[in-house]
Amino acid sequence: MSKPKIVVLGAGYAGLMTTKKLAKQLAPEEAELVLVNKHNYHYETTWLHEVAAGTINHNQARFMISDVVNPNRVRLIYDSVVKVNKEENKVVLENSELTYDYLVIALGFVTNTFGIKGMEENAFFIQDIDGCQLIRDHIEYKFAQYKNSEEKNDDDLTILVGGGGFTGIELVGELVEKVPQLCKKYDIDRRKARIINVEAAPSILPVFEKDLVAYAKESLERRGVEFMIGTKITECTEEGFVVGDDSELVKAGTIVWTGGVTGSPVLSESGFELNRGKVTVNGDLRAPGEDNIFILGDCAWVMNEAEGRPFPPTAQAAMQHATTCAHNIAALLHNEPLQNFIFDDKGTVASLGITDGVGTVFGGTKLTGKPAATMKKVVDNRSIFLFGGVNLLLKKGKVRPF
Ligand code: FAD
Ligand code: NAD
């Protein structure tokens, strides 16, 4: 009899960790393992704001999948998933097709524009490593162009960030580090280069308590970030965002949209029932009505039954999904009972540049400033260590000095 075939889609936090755990828990004769990913590298999604601002090199934020997964144990396929054909247990890739006995969908998120006019066409997104390199290069191009042009337009130096959630705030935190360097390099008055964050809600970082929000806002304002809070973006043009009831146009040379995310479009292509772009999975992380399909990470809503709402979709949660999923697939193969996912919340930290941050950790301890920034680096390094041990940590870990 042939071995059961387990196919994992996506080599992000959830998919790569599930693959590694399955390779450890199942003997080669028990199951065939296949990992499909768009690229031959994994990137740290949680570092993308730094790649976009240019405060770290994009190569630091990625590593080869074959460096952390044994290709003799796991078949690695580098291709794009188009859709899953559930009825036939088949995955359609851009260049081929695959059958499966068990499937793990861990294809992450895409930026959600909520249909805002012009956003898709005119704004950059913090979505993957290629897109973030484009942002970095575009910002520098605008500064170089300004320096070399005879008729200078100060709007070219403005960087506009739409959305004051975690991604938007962490991005402006990195920009306040990078912009002074660019001003120095191109001999531009720092006061001419504006960094503007636009947020529709009455507050940035709504997850945090008021004192932490106030700390973050004051710290960023002190370093030159301008906030437009309670200001809804209604349109994006080539020139900037149209905001507020009076349709003011805020002009910029670089426009980045960080207004929200949704699950991979592969989910809708595959006919899953969606709730705001993601699948609400069962406690054991399987898709409703599907015995052999697990959905993890940013593709899934996992309900926090105690609070009657889903757990926030984070890398922390995605890596924990991997543990439950690998356990449950092994349990299915061994005819043992499945486990329900239990989230172990270790806290949340947002960076505000290299030496500053805010966060709540270990069940309520608040951190600000350097302790928060240090904690963020510890968290960032932890995932590198979990994927590739000390060797990878030495190659890719963050040791930026304060
Ligand atoms: P990902 O890690 O995004 O991986 C998805 C993988 O699927 C990628 O390798 C991608 O290339 C691949 N893929 C996508 N589509 C296809 C396709 N069609 N075919 C083949 N392959 C495909 N969370 C935290 O807990 N802490 C943080 O500090 C934090 N910081 C963040 C900072 C930023 C800037 C952002 C954007 C997010 C941050 N998050 C953070 C959230 C966290 O990154 C996500 O929750 C996490 O990445 C979800 O993991 P995942 O495995 O579902 O997807
Ligand atoms: P988000 O949904 O958390 O934040 C988007 C923000 O954009 C919101 O504050 C929203 O009010 C605002 N917005 C939406 N429409 C708008 C409009 N028309 N005009 C102006 N503002 C508008 O999205 P995100 O920040 O990209 O985060 C996505 C996920 O990734 C979240 O689950 C977050 O927790 C996670 N994340 C975590 C970290 C961290 O832990 N350090 C960092 C980044 C992202």
Side-chain angles (χ1 to χ4, degrees):
M1 213 177 83
S2 68
K3 293 187 281 191
K5 185 169 166 188
I6 305 167
V7 173
V8 179
L9 306 180
Y13 295 99
L16 187 56
M17 193 48 85
T18 302
T19 307
K20 282 184 71 75
K21 286 189 181 286
L22 285 170
K24 219 170 174 182
Q25 287 171 27
L26 297 175
E29 53 282 6
E30 280 186 287
E32 180 187 349
L33 300 179
V34 182
L35 174 62
V36 183
N37 195 59
K38 211 181 262 186
H39 309 105
N40 59 359
Y41 55 83
H42 159 96
Y43 55 81
E44 292 287 306
T45 304
T46 60
W47 303 10
L48 285 179
H49 55 294
E50 294 158 277
V51 175
T55 47
I56 61 169
N57 183 281
H58 57 278
N59 283 323
Q60 191 185 346
R62 65 178 170 184
F63 55 81
M64 301 298 285
I65 293 168
S66 57
D67 282 351
V68 301
V69 171
N70 179 0
N72 295 323
R73 173 69 185 97
V74 181
R75 188 171 147 217
L76 299 173
I77 299 179
Y78 304 127
D79 202 346
S80 282
V81 180
V82 177
K83 68 171 183 171
V84 176
N85 186 337
K86 293 178 288 199
E87 286 69 35
E88 294 178 41
N89 281 6
K90 226 182 230 173
V91 181
V92 180
L93 307 178
E94 234 165 58
N95 299 298
S96 63
E97 286 191 350
L98 264 178
T99 56
Y100 62 83
D101 296 299
Y102 298 95
L103 184 68
V104 179
I105 303 180
L107 294 166
F109 70 93
V110 291
T111 301
N112 194 350
T113 64
F114 303 102
I116 295 174
K117 191 175 163 201
M119 199 60 85
E120 199 78 45
E121 299 84 345
N122 297 310
F124 289 104
F125 301 152
I126 305 281
Q127 191 169 262
D128 55 28
I129 212 154
D130 293 341
C132 289
Q133 286 179 74
L134 281 181
I135 299 175
R136 176 199 64 197
D137 293 347
H138 179 85
I139 293 171
E140 178 137 11
Y141 167 73
K142 282 288 170 188
F143 277 66
Q145 189 191 39
Y146 181 89
K147 163 82 178 157
N148 295 323
S149 61
E150 279 178 11
E151 279 181 35
K152 298 197 190 305
N153 177 1
D154 288 357
D155 292 334
D156 281 344
L157 299 176
T158 299
I159 306 168
L160 198 49
V161 178
F166 276 95
T167 304
I169 294 307
E170 289 199 323
L171 175 62
V172 295
E174 294 302 311
L175 289 171
V176 293
E177 308 278 354
K178 185 67 182 182
V179 162
Q181 294 171 17
L182 290 173
C183 288
K184 199 166 172 202
K185 181 169 175 185
Y186 293 103
D187 193 20
I188 291 168
D189 181 348
R190 167 67 185 91
R191 285 164 301 184
K192 286 188 188 292
R194 300 172 68 195
I195 303 166
I196 306 175
N197 181 257
V198 188
E199 167 57 51
S203 164
I204 57 166
L205 296 176
V207 166
F208 287 133
E209 288 183 17
K210 278 188 180 145
D211 53 341
L212 292 183
V213 173
Y215 176 93
K217 186 164 172 277
E218 278 162 32
S219 164
L220 291 167
E221 277 175 337
R222 202 172 48 247
R223 288 179 284 154
V225 177
E226 298 169 48
F227 286 100
M228 300 176 76
I229 292 177
T231 308
K232 189 171 178 180
I233 300 161
T234 53
E235 188 181 341
C236 181
T237 73
E238 275 179 22
E239 288 185 298
F241 288 142
V242 178
V243 304
D245 293 339
D246 51 359
S247 297
E248 180 195 350
L249 176 64
V250 185
K251 292 186 182 177
T254 305
I255 309 164
V256 187
W257 170 248
T258 62
V261 299
T262 186
S264 163
V266 168
L267 298 171
S268 57
E269 283 296 315
S270 311
F272 287 99
E273 193 183 320
L274 299 184
N275 176 4
R276 287 177 294 139
K278 304 184 185 198
V279 176
T280 305
V281 292
N282 300 334
D284 58 18
L285 304 181
R286 283 186 290 184
E290 306 293 339
D291 288 343
N292 60 345
I293 302 179
F294 291 79
I295 304 188
L296 315 182
D298 279 7
C299 285
W301 292 122
V302 183
M303 284 306 287
N304 177 349
E305 299 297 347
E307 296 191 12
R309 59 188 164 122
F311 291 110
T314 59
Q316 185 189 167
M319 288 176 97
Q320 293 182 25
H321 293 170
T323 306
T324 303
C325 175
H327 172 278
N328 283 348
I329 290 178
L332 284 170
L333 294 183
H334 300 150
N335 283 321
E336 287 167 2
L338 273 60
Q339 278 178 357
N340 276 348
F341 175 74
I342 298 171
F343 183 45
D344 175 16
D345 188 356
K346 294 185 166 37
T348 306
V349 186
S351 61
L352 303 170
I354 295 172
T355 59
D356 203 359
V358 286
T360 310
V361 293
F362 309 129
T365 306
K366 289 179 185 172
L367 295 178
T368 55
K370 283 186 185 170
T374 306
M375 181 59 81
K376 187 70 166 57
K377 286 185 188 63
V378 169
V379 173
D380 287 349
N381 283 340
R382 183 173 178 268
S383 84
I384 292 287
F385 175 75
L386 292 176
F387 283 129
V390 174
N391 281 349
L392 192 67
L393 189 59
L394 289 173
K395 265 201 249 168
K396 305 284 176 178
K398 287 187 182 168
V399 284
R400 288 194 293 182
F402 286 165

